[in-house]
Amino acid sequence: MLFTVEDNKLVFSPQEGQPISYHSTYTFYPINDAYPFSQKLQEELSQRKLLLTELSVPFITLYEHYKEGYVQIIKGINKKKDICQCNRCGNTVLQKFGAFPCYTCKEMCFYCRACIGMGRISMCTPLFVWSGPIYKKREHPAFLAWNGKLSEMQQKGAEAIKETIQGKGELLVWAACGAGKTEMLFEGINYALSQGENVLIATPRADVVRELKPRIAQAFPYSSVIALYGGSEDRGKSGAITISTTHQMLRYEKAFDVVIVDEVDAFPFSYDKMLQQAVENVKKQSCATILLTATPNRQWQREIRRGRRDAFVLPARYHRREIPVPHMIWCGNWKKQLLKNELPWKLKKWLKERREKQVFLFVPSIEVIPKIVGIIKKGEKQTEGVHAEDHDREKKVLRFRNGETRILVTTTILERGVTVPNIDVAVLGAEEDIFTESALVQIGGRVGRSANYPNGDVTLFHFGRTQEMIRARKQILSLNEKARKMGLIE
């Protein structure tokens, strides 16, 4: 899109002018209170920063709202000499910008590579923001329909969360895998909704978003709940409760009264400063923050022990049974065996012993999945493989949940968020770098989550023990011991 400046106001069109980055000074039109603005545009754009391609309204409608003062335009990228800044994700690292011969501005145009997955933003692609009244959907009074019962420790956690939301503070909730973190949130969310506040539940994984939406919607049937991830049907909608991947937060600014970050330790959020900053940017000036994790990093664990971080710790599951402790089994050079179209015999024996159960088999890379699936399928037809780039990922996970698939071979993409009641888990190549302490604890946490099936087996097949494997096992043993001393397990 190209721009000219007339009477100190921006005029934009698809054909004439220069990129917005070429115009250093201009003013915006004042709001015309008598203008009957579009509620659809208001909902789509309120508290968001969006590209033209992300809006569903016609171009002429957008332009009219701009001239009536209800829409403002900001530069997608600021560039001054050799310094660039992306106004969507905040990237200022020069190596994370690229250039391409642009059809629109007829020259080499800089674009941001850091947030390219959200749609390309360049020097001639401005961001649109809403400057009129903030969209507020008419909601029924808050009503929590969940009729489950929290354990004594879960109730204490729920009260701590609610108090933090009331006081607009920050709280880290460290709860064992399967401890019922989601249910502990309900009272706090209900309080926020009763105050007319907007609640965000952000998580790094789209699978977790898809898993959470029906559970939250069932608990709060009178509140609007939307789920945002790549390809989501809720794009452009607003809700009292927003469940979203952390990447989608790049489109928001100062939008939420309560921000809950689930799986705060998970990749890519834990490693990506851009995503961490995106979550900070979506908070209103007075905002409560709840951080949820089953595997806090070592720094946070030290801060908790020394009383330097407000935290609630729940080391046991709601059904009062121990978390299954991983076994470590040496299986030889499994990569060499795969080249011969064979699995390690110890893994084959393990799979054979579980003909009546469903199995998660975690592997270190996408490349080995087809071969492993092919080998296993010779003896077990109900076997599938899935990974992050799989277009049929949702369907395969659903078939596994429904019991149509018995063995699912996967990467760490499914270490969180997928719950199957009666399951055993194995890791092949547990010595690989991808299997960190956190990842292995989460993988083990898939087992024994149901009160009807509180036990299960977790086995790490390896070609040499690592410190990460040893630490993961030690962490689970420590949680079980702490829970036993607190009287939380039978």
Side-chain angles (χ1 to χ4, degrees):
M1 183 176 295
L2 300 176
F3 295 82
T4 56
V5 174
E6 297 177 8
D7 298 326
N8 204 30
K9 302 288 193 305
L10 280 176
V11 178
F12 54 98
S13 73
Q15 292 91 18
E16 298 177 3
Q18 295 176 308
I20 190 172
S21 55
Y22 279 63
H23 303 283
S24 56
T25 58
Y26 48 84
T27 60
F28 295 110
Y29 291 94
I31 290 178
N32 176 7
D33 293 326
Y35 180 71
F37 61 83
S38 163
Q39 290 189 346
K40 183 179 181 183
L41 181 59
Q42 180 195 33
E43 180 180 7
E44 284 189 15
L45 207 50
S46 279
Q47 297 170 314
R48 292 180 171 105
K49 298 179 292 185
L50 299 180
L51 301 171
L52 179 63
T53 53
E54 294 173 318
L55 292 167
S56 64
V57 299
F59 179 85
I60 188 63
T61 301
L62 184 67
Y63 192 50
E64 285 176 1
H65 280 73
Y66 165 70
K67 295 195 75 172
E68 298 295 341
Y70 287 85
V71 171
Q72 290 186 4
I73 306 165
I74 60 176
K75 297 176 182 180
I77 292 177
N78 286 331
K79 186 176 184 299
K80 190 173 182 181
K81 295 184 179 178
D82 293 332
I83 299 174
C84 288
Q85 180 178 15
C86 175
N87 285 325
R88 178 170 62 186
C89 72
N91 171 37
T92 57
V93 179
L94 194 59
Q95 291 81 358
K96 292 185 178 179
F97 288 93
F100 68 104
C102 181
Y103 175 81
T104 303
C105 57
K106 313 300 183 193
E107 57 183 66
M108 293 299 289
C109 191
F110 279 86
Y111 70 97
C112 180
R113 294 193 292 112
C115 58
I116 188 70
M118 307 295 292
R120 186 171 66 191
I121 185 166
S122 68
M123 293 178 67
C124 59
T125 51
L127 290 165
F128 295 88
V129 297
W130 182 257
S131 53
I134 298 302
Y135 178 80
K136 199 76 174 176
K137 192 169 185 175
R138 293 180 65 88
E139 297 280 345
H140 291 277
F143 178 68
L144 176 58
W146 184 69
N147 55 11
K149 184 174 175 59
L150 298 176
S151 69
E152 183 181 346
M153 279 298 290
Q154 282 179 312
Q155 186 59 47
K156 288 181 180 179
E159 290 167 4
I161 290 168
K162 183 178 177 181
E163 288 172 8
T164 302
I165 290 174
Q166 289 173 327
K168 299 301 180 191
E170 180 175 307
L171 179 71
L172 174 65
V173 178
W174 177 9
C177 292
K181 294 189 292 293
T182 303
E183 289 75 15
M184 287 162 57
L185 294 171
F186 288 165
E187 288 186 23
I189 292 174
N190 197 53
Y191 169 80
L193 295 177
S194 73
Q195 302 301 302
E197 296 181 338
N198 292 330
V199 177
L200 167 68
I201 304 174
T203 180
R205 304 284 175 85
D207 298 285
V208 180
V209 174
R210 287 188 283 264
E211 174 104 359
L212 280 176
K213 184 182 179 181
R215 293 171 63 188
I216 299 296
Q218 187 176 28
F220 297 95
Y222 299 103
S223 299
S224 54
V225 180
I226 64 169
L228 301 177
Y229 52 87
S232 166
E233 295 178 355
D234 291 339
R235 175 180 170 179
K237 296 180 182 178
S238 294
I241 304 173
T242 300
I243 309 168
S244 172
T245 59
T246 48
H247 277 88
Q248 296 295 323
M249 291 301 95
L250 292 168
R251 296 190 170 106
Y252 284 82
E253 189 166 9
K254 295 181 175 62
F256 299 99
D257 304 283
V258 177
V259 171
I260 300 165
V261 186
D262 193 13
E263 311 288 6
V264 71
D265 60 290
F267 179 86
F269 181 77
S270 58
Y271 294 91
D272 196 330
K273 299 295 184 185
M274 177 187 75
L275 296 180
Q276 294 167 20
Q277 187 58 50
V279 170
E280 291 300 314
N281 291 345
V282 304
K283 297 178 182 179
K284 291 183 179 178
Q285 188 170 1
S286 179
C287 178
T289 306
I290 308 295
L291 308 175
L292 306 177
T293 180
T295 49
N297 60 45
R298 288 173 208 151
Q299 180 184 338
W300 282 6
Q301 292 182 40
R302 284 194 296 270
E303 290 175 0
I304 292 168
R305 285 196 301 269
R306 296 169 184 173
R308 295 177 180 173
R309 177 176 286 275
D310 289 335
F312 176 80
V313 182
L314 178 54
R317 290 174 165 176
Y318 70 95
H319 53 56
R320 300 181 62 84
R321 300 293 287 274
E322 286 191 350
I323 304 168
V325 179
H327 306 288
M328 292 186 274
I329 296 179
W330 185 85
C331 66
N333 190 338
W334 58 273
K335 292 180 182 177
K336 193 172 181 180
Q337 293 174 72
L338 277 185
L339 291 174
K340 298 176 182 178
N341 231 29
E342 285 286 339
L343 289 180
W345 71 267
K346 291 180 180 179
L347 174 57
K348 287 194 290 185
K349 182 174 179 286
W350 187 90
L351 290 171
K352 191 174 181 180
E353 290 169 351
R354 282 154 182 81
R355 291 195 180 278
E356 304 302 318
K357 294 190 74 172
Q358 284 184 278
V359 169
F360 254 140
L361 175 57
F362 286 87
V363 297
S365 67
I366 294 172
E367 291 74 24
V368 300
I369 289 178
K371 179 161 280 191
I372 291 172
V373 169
I375 295 170
I376 297 174
K377 266 193 169 183
K378 292 175 183 177
E380 175 55 71
K381 298 298 183 186
Q382 292 179 303
T383 302
E384 288 193 307
V386 68
H387 52 83
E389 298 169 17
D390 192 332
H391 296 300
D392 293 326
R393 174 173 157 189
E394 287 185 57
K395 293 177 182 177
K396 289 180 179 180
V397 171
L398 183 60
R399 285 197 289 269
F400 189 63
R401 279 203 184 104
N402 293 340
E404 300 168 38
T405 303
R406 196 179 71 79
I407 300 174
L408 189 61
V409 183
T410 182
T411 58
T412 53
I413 192 67
L414 293 185
E415 73 185 29
R416 307 160 190 259
V418 178
T419 301
V420 178
N422 187 19
I423 192 172
D424 285 342
V425 167
V427 178
L428 178 61
E431 75 282 356
E432 295 287 310
D433 291 343
I434 192 73
F435 294 118
T436 61
E437 174 188 350
S438 170
L440 291 172
V441 171
Q442 288 288 349
I443 286 169
R446 300 306 96 206
V447 174
R449 297 171 74 95
S450 168
N452 295 325
Y453 304 99
N455 302 310
D457 185 84
V458 182
T459 300
L460 311 181
F461 292 95
H462 64 87
F463 188 37
R465 292 190 184 191
T466 65
Q467 284 299 312
E468 299 298 314
M469 293 162 60
I470 294 167
R471 288 191 188 109
R473 193 172 189 277
K474 185 178 179 181
Q475 185 180 143
I476 293 171
L477 286 168
S478 175
L479 287 171
N480 285 339
E481 181 62 24
K482 187 178 293 186
R484 195 176 294 107
K485 287 180 179 177
M486 294 172 68
L488 300 177
I489 57 178
E490 304 297 343

